Amino acid sequence: MQLSFVCLAARDWCFHFRAAIKEMLVGGDAHVTRDDWVKMFDKWNTEFMDMDIDDNGRVDKDEWERFHGTKKGFSEADIDGDGQVTKEEYEQYHKTNDEMKKLDADGDGKITIEEWIAMYGSAEGFDKYDLDGDGIVDPDEFRQVKAAEYGFKSLDANQDGKVSEEEWIAKYGSIEGFSAYDLNGDGVIDADEFLACKAAEMERNALDADGDGKISRQEWIAKYGSAVGFDEYDLDGDGVIDADEFRIAKASEIAFTNLDANGDGKVSRQEWIDKYGSAAGFDQYDLDGDGLIDPDEFRIAKKTEVDFRNLDADGDGKISRDEWIAKYGNDDGFDMYDLDGDGIIDADEFRQTKTTELKQSLQSRRKAKFGEPGYVCTFVNCAMHCCRPQIPRSCRKEP
């Protein structure tokens, strides 16, 4: 027994020695300095080498689970979402966790603005990390923003603050996924778009417990304790939230929080202008024409905008019957969207039909849950009379 233990220890030592030497000799530099040696055997690198069973320099989900005994944490460490964790990603994952612990001075699992100021000397940057605008930064928000910052920097090769199609392809080998991050369809991904989509991607991975690519109502409840908010993310009302729905809804929520400068739960025309420099696009999001954009209008308009862009394969600003069939497999529904019957669906036709469809779906689900418009919330101390079909985000409480 003792001999076996010694042999196993020797085998492990040899494994780490071989891996370390291999790492140090990359590029033909055979000189091993003391600093190189210490670096190779620090805690994170040693852990990574233990996890990397096949010694390919990457850790997949199975290797992670075998080492940690759970898949928990993998999606947070897999910063670029390619299904594998590199040594650099693993190091960044630990640095983020350590920084979070240092920030959270009272150890309550949340970062207040006072703790932020105590650490960094000012409140600068706090709002960026407070994704839901509730005045605190929780661990998920902190990890998501850190991952987005790291990922965006690695993608933005020329450091111009934007990710082009060429930079995306250089990183991932194809253009696949680019349009999903390019939320406004301008051909580049800016830092805000990347942050919103990366945060959505990481949160979705954590929610999708069975890994089937969809979030069920049960998975939502298991994460958040109730079904509140599920219907707002289930944009098509089919009872599950797919990857596109979650990304659009989450990214919209983050973008809306950034737009809503005074935090009143609505975006005014002036707030829109302050953010984008002009009022262009405001009226397309103000679906009821009341001069304000609420969270539901913003989410539905964003979903409509992204769906149109995905359907318009040739980018000519119109959807042909062939493009529709290529997306859905048949032409069912095409004529309903082609309002003037000219054989194509333009942006206005699509927007008008799609927004009506999404609003009606959401309102019917809320009616079934809350009753007719005019329902008064009986939640203790709520004091929010939800007499509109669109119930404000601040009042997403079960009675």
Side-chain angles (χ1 to χ4, degrees):
M1 179 69 73
Q2 187 176 6
L3 181 60
S4 296
F5 177 79
V6 171
C7 289
L8 285 171
R11 186 196 66 182
D12 287 344
W13 185 90
C14 288
F15 171 79
H16 292 310
F17 181 86
R18 176 174 58 82
I21 293 300
K22 181 181 72 174
E23 183 72 25
M24 293 174 189
L25 294 182
V26 172
D29 183 4
H31 180 66
V32 179
T33 68
R34 178 181 175 83
D35 288 342
D36 289 332
W37 186 266
V38 172
K39 182 179 179 182
M40 282 298 100
F41 283 92
D42 70 14
K43 183 175 184 292
W44 298 337
N45 281 320
T46 302
E47 279 186 5
F48 185 85
M49 287 187 288
D50 284 342
M51 283 191 293
D52 184 17
I53 295 169
D54 59 8
D55 196 23
N56 69 348
R58 297 180 295 276
V59 172
D60 62 28
K61 191 172 289 188
D62 290 336
E63 290 173 319
W64 181 282
E65 185 176 14
R66 186 178 302 182
F67 182 82
H68 292 285
T70 176
K71 292 178 181 177
K72 185 178 180 180
F74 181 83
S75 61
E76 288 84 358
D78 180 19
I79 293 173
D80 63 8
D82 66 352
Q84 297 180 319
V85 176
T86 65
K87 188 173 70 174
E88 292 75 20
E89 286 177 322
Y90 193 62
E91 182 178 352
Q92 182 63 33
Y93 168 74
H94 277 293
K95 284 181 177 178
T96 298
N97 286 341
D98 286 350
E99 189 174 349
M100 173 78 191
K101 289 176 184 176
K102 290 176 183 176
L103 272 166
D104 182 20
D106 61 8
D108 66 350
K110 299 172 293 198
I111 299 169
T112 64
I113 194 165
E114 291 78 15
E115 287 173 323
W116 186 278
I117 293 170
M119 181 73 170
Y120 298 121
S122 77
E124 184 178 356
F126 182 85
D127 289 340
K128 177 182 177 182
Y129 278 72
D130 180 17
L131 296 177
D132 61 8
D134 66 352
I136 60 169
V137 177
D138 64 37
D140 287 339
E141 289 175 319
F142 192 78
R143 292 189 192 100
Q144 288 163 10
V145 177
K146 276 293 181 187
E149 288 177 341
Y150 178 85
F152 187 80
K153 185 177 180 181
S154 67
L155 273 169
D156 183 18
N158 63 4
Q159 299 300 301
D160 67 348
K162 303 185 292 281
V163 174
S164 65
E165 291 184 352
E166 292 74 20
E167 288 172 322
W168 185 275
I169 293 169
K171 173 71 173 177
Y172 297 116
S174 77
I175 195 62
E176 185 178 358
F178 181 88
S179 63
Y181 275 68
D182 179 19
L183 295 175
N184 62 5
D186 65 353
V188 295
I189 302 168
D190 63 31
D192 288 339
E193 289 174 318
F194 191 85
L195 167 58
C197 291
K198 176 56 69 176
E201 183 181 300
M202 292 179 68
E203 188 168 344
R204 182 183 66 83
N205 288 339
L207 275 165
D208 183 18
D210 60 10
D212 67 349
K214 298 174 295 210
I215 298 166
S216 67
R217 191 176 294 270
Q218 290 72 27
E219 287 173 322
W220 184 280
I221 293 171
K223 173 70 173 177
Y224 299 120
S226 80
V228 174
F230 183 87
D231 289 336
E232 283 79 5
Y233 275 64
D234 178 18
L235 297 173
D236 61 8
D238 66 352
V240 295
I241 302 169
D242 63 31
D244 286 338
E245 286 177 318
F246 193 88
R247 182 181 59 254
I248 293 167
K250 184 66 177 181
S252 296
E253 190 174 298
I254 294 170
F256 186 88
T257 300
N258 290 334
L259 272 168
D260 181 20
N262 64 5
D264 66 351
K266 304 182 288 281
V267 174
S268 66
R269 189 177 296 271
Q270 188 57 53
E271 285 173 322
W272 183 280
I273 293 170
D274 291 343
K275 176 68 174 178
Y276 297 119
S278 78
F282 180 88
D283 291 334
Q284 281 72 40
Y285 278 69
D286 178 18
L287 301 180
D288 60 9
D290 67 351
L292 297 166
I293 302 170
D294 66 34
D296 290 326
E297 288 177 314
F298 192 86
R299 190 183 304 111
I300 288 170
K302 179 59 71 177
K303 165 73 171 167
T304 301
E305 183 181 301
V306 172
D307 282 355
F308 183 83
R309 195 164 67 244
N310 289 338
L311 275 164
D312 182 20
D314 60 10
D316 66 350
K318 304 185 293 277
I319 299 169
S320 67
R321 192 176 294 272
D322 288 339
E323 288 173 320
W324 185 278
I325 293 170
K327 176 69 173 176
Y328 298 117
N330 58 55
D331 68 354
D332 291 353
F334 182 87
D335 292 333
M336 182 177 75
Y337 277 72
D338 180 18
L339 299 178
D340 61 8
D342 66 351
I344 58 169
I345 302 169
D346 63 32
D348 288 336
E349 288 175 317
F350 189 84
R351 186 182 304 112
Q352 181 179 338
T353 310
K354 189 69 172 180
T355 54
T356 299
E357 180 184 306
L358 291 174
K359 282 196 296 183
Q360 287 176 346
S361 173
L362 181 59
Q363 288 171 14
S364 66
R365 282 175 281 151
R366 282 180 170 163
K367 179 179 177 181
K369 184 175 182 181
F370 294 111
E372 296 289 344
Y375 165 86
V376 178
C377 182
T378 58
F379 192 91
V380 177
N381 296 327
C382 177
M384 180 72 76
H385 291 240
C386 303
C387 55
R388 296 184 307 156
Q390 293 88 8
I391 297 175
R393 183 175 65 177
S394 59
C395 195
R396 288 181 187 163
K397 299 182 175 77
E398 299 277 8

